[in-house]
Amino acid sequence: MATLSMILGLAGGLCGILGMLTFLGVLPTFIPLEEAIGPYLATTIFWWGLAGLLLLGSIAVSVTQRRSPYD
């Protein structure tokens, strides 16, 4: 379970970095929402949302693997 937590945490961090690089215009966009909010912002929101979910999953896995002191 510790390995899964580490993998989810690293993937979440990588998604956060990809979101920042997309926001700065270094990486191309892949979500065509030019009418609503713009493709860069839509793709950045996607990457940051995915990063948040993965980081929360990492926290949830790491909390559930702790043993009770009464075991």
Side-chain angles (χ1 to χ4, degrees):
M1 289 298 247
T3 306
L4 178 62
S5 176
M6 182 182 69
I7 290 171
L8 288 174
L10 289 174
L14 182 63
C15 287
I17 291 171
L18 288 174
M20 184 56 72
L21 291 175
T22 303
F23 181 72
L24 295 174
V26 176
L27 295 177
T29 63
F30 59 87
I31 299 176
L33 287 177
E34 296 180 20
E35 307 88 30
I37 57 176
Y40 283 103
L41 189 58
T43 306
T44 301
I45 290 171
F46 167 77
W47 282 121
W48 285 346
L50 185 60
L53 287 175
L54 288 170
L55 290 173
L56 286 174
S58 172
I59 293 169
V61 169
S62 67
V63 166
T64 58
Q65 75 182 2
R66 292 188 184 158
R67 299 189 75 178
S68 173
Y70 302 109
D71 285 342

